[in-house]
Amino acid sequence: MTAVADTPATSTLRDGAFGNARSLVCRECSHEVELGPHYACPECFGPLEVAYDFPQVTRAEIEAGPRNIWRYKALLPVPTDIEQSPNTEPGFTRLLRADNLARELGIDTLWVKDDSTNPTNSFKDRVVACALSAARELDAKVFACPSTGNLANAVAAAGARAGIRTVVFIPSNLEQPKQVNSAIFTENLVAVNGNYDDVNKLASEIAGEEDGWAFVNVNVRPFYAEGSKTLGYEIAEQLGWRLPDQIVIPVASGSQLTKVDKSFQELIKLGLVEDKPYKIFGAQATGCSPVSVAFKGGTDAIRPVKPDTIAKSLAIGNPADGIYVLDICRRSGGAVEDITDDEVRDGIVLLARTEGIFTETAGGTTVGVLKKLVETGQLDTTLETVVINTGHGLKTLDAISDRVGPAATIEPSYSAFTAANIV
Ligand SMILES: *Cc1c(COP(=O)(O)O)cnc(C)c1O
Ligand SMILES: [Zn+2]
């Protein structure tokens, strides 16, 4: 728990190291802990989360900021001079009106938040940028993570730009493109014979033994997780400072979904958007759907599973924030749904053919679940809906390489072309 700088955080931290953040607060018992490399409540072992004393923040101040996540720095646990430190500067990705997909699915108004255009082509650049800031302020010597793939890409790239040593751990059966996308940025890609949950356990062990390691999603997880709030801030700002009625979000650990909800609540409290109800839906692949199973079973108990799905970036069998996802989806009137691997592939092709967006298996899961939610009457097709695309299809080519390819292979002559009857 004290892998980074073992001394009391307050004595070594510079003023304003975490911006407007006040403390770390336990999600279970509300016990407060000082800001530092802590992630579990000393009273009840519940997860810690960043709490703030926000000043008045205006739309104009935010709009005057840079076109990346630091435009929201007043709402994040980062210092006011954050833009001075090399980072990958993710965010402010496009929010596309998806009329073709909407028509295909029978939805009135649909938007795609396309996070595949971040620096390393997934939403993970957002969380890693915040974790890097925390690692710097805590004077970490090593920037590390256990990863299902995209996180390793983002950590390795951000560490390279920041000039800090990186070590990234992945399951050894990970897609080849995701391995290369990490190894290109770091010499220390470690492939572990086991699934993500095994890799995560190993990371916790190393974090407990080694000094000066910042594991982005282990001992600096509270700071890392806050980065996902920027997805929600951007969606609201890009809609003209409005919340959508419904939003569909993929679920791995569940962190992203809970933080989008937190971001909407903060915008309401700060008076930056009008208060209104919204429904949050979670998306999983059936081969790793512990949260969806619990949702449908009407229980709070999430039974860990051994993942078996092509949606590897969502393959967390024991999701840390699963119970909070259940709570948010139930409270908001949403749902958690899951689809088969074949439906994941269908989702990838559907988004590509309707909107020209090539998503990875996680996005195929989200789009496929959106379709299923419509077909099963769980989603109101008359309400404004946003679906999040969290990653890029070039990283999971294998998933659809036997689905799409040349319509014909022909000789280079006009007669051969007409004979092939292509159009
Ligand atoms: C990590 C990841 C997610 C989900 O993240 P959680 O916050 O752990 O639920 C979704 N999509 C992609 C592409 C990811 O890499
Ligand atoms: Zn507690």
Side-chain angles (χ1 to χ4, degrees), residues 9-168:
T10 39
S11 64
T12 53
L13 287 177
R14 66 175 177 133
D15 259 8
F18 296 108
N20 295 316
R22 178 186 73 233
S23 63
L24 297 172
V25 162
C26 175
R27 278 198 81 141
E28 291 297 323
C29 76
S30 302
H31 180 76
E32 289 204 29
V33 176
E34 67 187 3
L35 293 163
H38 319 298
Y39 61 103
C41 174
E43 299 291 321
C44 76
F45 299 107
L48 297 174
E49 135 167 89
V50 179
Y52 300 84
D53 289 323
F54 287 134
Q56 193 53 50
V57 181
T58 66
R59 292 177 181 177
E61 276 162 17
I62 292 171
E63 287 165 357
R67 291 182 67 82
N68 59 53
I69 62 170
W70 302 139
R71 69 202 277 108
Y72 309 106
K73 66 184 175 186
L75 311 179
L76 297 169
V78 299
T80 47
D81 61 355
I82 181 70
E83 290 120 300
Q84 310 310 316
S85 313
N87 210 313
T88 56
E89 283 147 16
F92 226 72
T93 56
R94 53 197 191 157
L95 181 74
L96 287 173
R97 181 135 174 165
D99 287 339
N100 296 332
L101 181 58
R103 206 174 310 117
E104 186 77 24
L105 298 179
I107 298 172
D108 289 352
T109 313
L110 181 64
W111 303 85
V112 177
K113 177 61 172 168
D114 185 13
D115 246 22
S116 69
T117 61
N118 272 314
T120 69
N121 304 103
S122 89
F123 102 96
K124 289 294 199 302
D125 292 311
R126 297 175 184 274
V127 280
V128 167
C130 291
L132 177 60
S133 176
R136 269 200 182 103
E137 299 301 333
L138 294 165
D139 205 22
K141 302 290 180 281
V142 182
F143 195 48
C145 69
S147 171
T148 56
N150 286 316
L151 185 60
N153 300 169
V155 164
R161 237 179 100 61
I164 181 172
R165 213 176 127 217
T166 52
V167 184
V168 299

Side-chain angles (χ1 to χ4, degrees), residues 329-350:
C329 293
R330 283 186 178 131
R331 238 185 325 107
S332 72
V336 189
E337 188 53 273
D338 60 271
I339 54 167
T340 66
D341 281 0
D342 260 344
E343 291 169 321
V344 171
R345 293 185 185 95
D346 291 344
I348 294 174
V349 177
L350 178 63

Side-chain angles (χ1 to χ4, degrees), residues 293-322:
V293 167
F295 181 87
K296 292 174 186 174
T299 165
D300 284 338
I302 291 176
R303 298 243 320 254
V305 300
K306 251 194 151 59
D308 179 16
T309 170
I310 59 167
K312 294 200 163 106
S313 53
L314 302 181
I316 297 184
N318 190 8
D321 292 304

Side-chain angles (χ1 to χ4, degrees), residues 137-272:
E137 299 301 333
L138 294 165
D139 205 22
K141 302 290 180 281
V142 182
F143 195 48
C145 69
S147 171
T148 56
N150 286 316
L151 185 60
N153 300 169
V155 164
R161 237 179 100 61
I164 181 172
R165 213 176 127 217
T166 52
V167 184
V168 299
F169 299 85
I170 54 164
S172 55
N173 74 347
L174 196 65
E175 299 103 328
Q176 183 66 9
K178 283 188 184 154
Q179 301 204 23
V180 176
N181 266 298
S182 290
I184 195 71
F185 301 119
T186 181
E187 290 174 356
N188 306 310
L189 169 69
V190 183
V192 179
N193 289 322
N195 61 30
Y196 173 77
D197 299 280
D198 300 318
V199 180
N200 192 38
K201 228 178 110 217
L202 171 64
S204 300
E205 225 177 295
I206 296 171
E209 295 292 331
E210 302 285 331
D211 274 343
W213 284 52
F215 272 98
V216 302
N217 51 343
V218 181
N219 55 352
V220 292
R221 184 175 178 87
F223 304 97
Y224 152 96
E226 290 292 291
S228 284
K229 292 194 305 184
T230 59
L231 262 170
Y233 299 149
E234 286 177 19
I235 289 166
E237 183 179 349
Q238 289 168 320
L239 285 174
W241 294 107
R242 258 181 336 103
L243 300 182
D245 300 317
Q246 305 179 120
I247 182 162
V248 189
I249 305 172
V251 173
S253 73
S255 174
Q256 176 182 155
L257 186 145
T258 65
K259 294 297 175 173
V260 168
D261 179 57
K262 186 180 184 187
S263 73
F264 287 175
Q265 290 302 318
E266 286 175 346
L267 291 178
I268 291 170
K269 262 186 225 125
L270 288 162
L272 291 167

